[in-house]
Amino acid sequence: MGSRGLGLTLACCLLLAFACGLVLGRVPRGQQEQQEQEGTREPPMDHAERDEEEHEKYGPRQDEEAPASRCLRCCDPGTSVYQAIPVPQINITILKGEKGDRGDRGLQGKYGKTGSVGARGHTGPKGQKGSMGAPGDRCKNHYAAFSVGRKKPLHSNDYYQTVIFDTEFVNLYNHFNMFTGKFYCYVPGIYFFSLNVHTWNQKETYLHIMKNAEEVVILYAQVSDRSIMQSQSLMLELRDQDEVWVRLFKGERENAIFSDEFDTYITFSGYLVKPANEP
């Protein structure tokens, strides 16, 4: 509390003391009249004169009946001896001091009981567009196709030979390896394959389309005085990393396929019809 508040407190105390002094120093009206009568009272009389005077003053008259004696109690309602003094009113607003400093923060109270779930609020406004996310993994290609050719003839020998192709027409995503002469499956599914060759005069034509190490279909032409175009086609269901290729049979009989550098007589093609992950 500042000096201003202390001064107001002292002024209030002095005002209360002054009011209490006035109340204590005031003499009641009955007592004051009694004191004035005593000041003008005559000299005291003897007992006989006093009794006679009281008998004449308070005694009943001859033509009147004696009044009944009346007892008064101090608690009976009547005129108050002391005059009511109004309580002094103090203006409390003048006692208000300056605002004090903020106190320290109290300790956190205990958590209350969990209330019931309230009603669902209204839909809020649409938020701002977020930032672009990180790029995802590259999607796997669902396409596969190839078409290759050979411009050189090939004759059989004492062992099986893989037909190697030297001309590339289509090789999507390089699924066909030109060095090994094999198609590698990277997209499992259903594939279509086609093989076309030109036979040699007076020679047998004997080839297989292979799936891994398994002979799947044969392309065969008997010995003839004239050469012809011969073809074979099929559909295969392949799994990941399966291999499809063309093999020339070994030389138990004279076996050959014809081609030259000016025209392409030998072709091998294939493409994906339906991926395995499609419903």
Side-chain angles (χ1 to χ4, degrees):
M1 185 179 293
S3 59
R4 180 181 177 183
L6 183 59
L8 291 174
T9 303
L10 292 176
C12 181
C13 292
L14 290 176
L15 182 60
L16 288 175
F18 179 75
C20 293
L22 290 178
V23 173
L24 295 177
R26 188 179 186 89
V27 180
R29 181 180 299 177
Q31 187 177 359
Q32 183 177 4
E33 292 178 354
Q34 184 179 358
Q35 291 178 359
E36 292 177 356
Q37 292 177 1
E38 289 179 355
T40 57
R41 185 178 298 176
E42 296 179 354
M45 296 180 294
D46 57 357
H47 293 285
E49 293 177 353
R50 185 183 306 169
D51 294 337
E52 184 178 357
E53 184 178 354
E54 289 180 358
H55 180 71
E56 292 177 357
K57 183 176 181 181
Y58 298 105
R61 297 181 181 179
Q62 295 180 357
D63 55 349
E64 294 180 0
E65 295 181 357
S69 60
R70 182 181 180 186
C71 181
L72 299 178
R73 295 179 297 178
C74 61
C75 58
D76 289 339
T79 305
S80 177
V81 178
Y82 301 97
Q83 184 179 1
I85 301 176
V87 180
Q89 301 293 329
I90 301 175
N91 188 2
I92 302 299
T93 58
I94 64 175
L95 300 179
K96 184 177 180 181
E98 297 179 357
K99 185 177 180 181
D101 298 333
R102 184 176 182 180
D104 297 334
R105 185 175 183 179
L107 300 177
Q108 184 176 358
K110 297 181 180 180
Y111 290 101
K113 297 182 180 180
T114 303
S116 57
V117 179
R120 185 172 183 178
H122 300 288
T123 303
K126 185 177 180 180
Q128 298 180 355
K129 185 178 180 180
S131 58
M132 182 181 296
D137 298 332
R138 184 177 180 180
C139 63
K140 194 172 184 179
N141 298 317
H142 295 289
Y143 303 97
F146 73 93
S147 182
V148 293
R150 181 182 173 94
K151 292 186 177 183
K152 295 179 181 180
L154 182 63
H155 294 268
S156 63
N157 50 30
D158 296 336
Y159 52 88
Y160 295 108
Q161 296 181 73
T162 301
V163 179
I164 303 299
F165 297 89
D166 51 26
T167 303
E168 183 180 82
F169 298 111
V170 174
N171 191 7
L172 190 62
Y173 307 119
N174 293 320
H175 289 182
F176 189 90
N177 192 320
M178 298 294 292
F179 297 98
T180 62
K182 296 181 179 181
F183 169 78
Y184 296 91
C185 176
Y186 295 103
V187 184
I190 306 298
Y191 285 80
F192 175 82
F193 295 96
S194 175
L195 175 63
N196 295 281
V197 299
H198 192 279
T199 63
W200 205 306
N201 296 340
Q202 302 299 326
K203 292 183 179 182
E204 187 179 41
T205 303
Y206 192 4
L207 299 100
H208 284 96
I209 296 179
M210 309 289 294
K211 176 184 176 183
N212 299 326
E214 177 186 0
E215 298 173 354
V216 182
V217 293
I218 186 174
L219 188 152
Y220 179 77
Q222 294 179 345
V223 179
S224 176
D225 294 336
R226 59 190 181 90
S227 60
I228 60 173
M229 294 294 297
Q230 193 78 359
S231 66
Q232 180 65 280
S233 60
L234 78 162
M235 296 182 72
L236 292 174
E237 183 176 2
L238 302 181
R239 297 180 180 179
D240 192 25
Q241 297 301 319
D242 280 347
E243 301 174 2
V244 179
W245 49 290
V246 180
R247 187 188 71 178
L248 182 66
F249 201 79
K250 60 185 177 179
E252 295 179 357
R253 296 182 294 269
E254 192 174 1
N255 182 20
I257 51 177
F258 174 80
S259 189
D260 59 36
E261 297 181 357
F262 301 100
D263 296 306
T264 303
Y265 289 89
I266 305 169
T267 61
F268 181 41
S269 304
Y271 60 87
L272 175 66
V273 177
K274 179 181 179 297
N277 58 359
E278 286 187 1

